[in-house]
Amino acid sequence: AAGDVIGGLVIGDLLTVSAGGQIDLDTTVAELNAISGTSVTIDQSDAITLSDVQSVAGPITVNAGSDIVVVLVKSQFDDDANDVKITYENGSITAGVIDAAGAGDVTLYSTQSVTKLYDHIEADELEVVEANLLLSVDVVIPFPLGGLT
């Protein structure tokens, strides 16, 4: 769509959506591909795979009721307001590539599950609020204010 994609509940296996403006959807899908000219907001009822979720110039927010697998989530424009926030209620997150374009922040939040960080996260600040954290790192590159603690 040339403008915004805003709507009610979308149910399916694979959802592919493209918008020149914002994307704001409630979903029950297994897999998501989305590109937006501005922001992306997804409220998912259960587990989801984020295969390719990108914002040209805006933040990305995904809330899910269960497991999240991130293949690629990227905010393309280097600006402090272009944050990536992924929240899950039950289950786990397996993070592949999460890119907040340098100046944006990345937040991964859950109160009772396991976060697995396996690939590449680029952010000005990384915040992980988690009961259990499994971190597999090939190379640690310090964040601007002192590194990974």
Side-chain angles (χ1 to χ4, degrees), residues 55-56 58 60 73-84 97-107 120-127 141-145:
S55 168
V56 174
I60 298 171
V73 172
K74 182 174 184 173
S75 181
Q76 297 177 8
F77 188 72
D78 189 1
D79 188 276
D80 190 43
N82 295 342
D83 297 338
V84 174
V97 176
I98 302 174
D99 186 346
D105 302 332
V106 171
T107 301
H120 172 87
I121 296 177
E122 182 177 335
D124 180 43
E125 293 182 16
L126 172 62
E127 179 181 15
I141 298 171
F143 286 88
L145 297 176

Side-chain angles (χ1 to χ4, degrees), residues 8-69:
L9 180 61
V10 178
I11 299 172
D13 186 40
L14 169 64
L15 174 60
T16 299
V17 60
S18 177
Q22 69 175 321
I23 296 171
D24 188 348
L25 296 171
D26 295 335
T27 60
T28 301
V29 298
E31 183 177 354
L32 176 65
N33 296 311
I35 186 161
S36 168
T38 59
S39 62
V40 176
T41 303
I42 302 294
D43 288 312
Q44 168 73 12
S45 63
D46 54 10
I48 191 169
T49 297
L50 305 173
S51 293
D52 186 358
V53 177
Q54 298 189 47
S55 168
V56 174
I60 298 171
T61 303
V62 178
N63 301 304
S66 187
D67 297 340
I68 300 175
V69 174

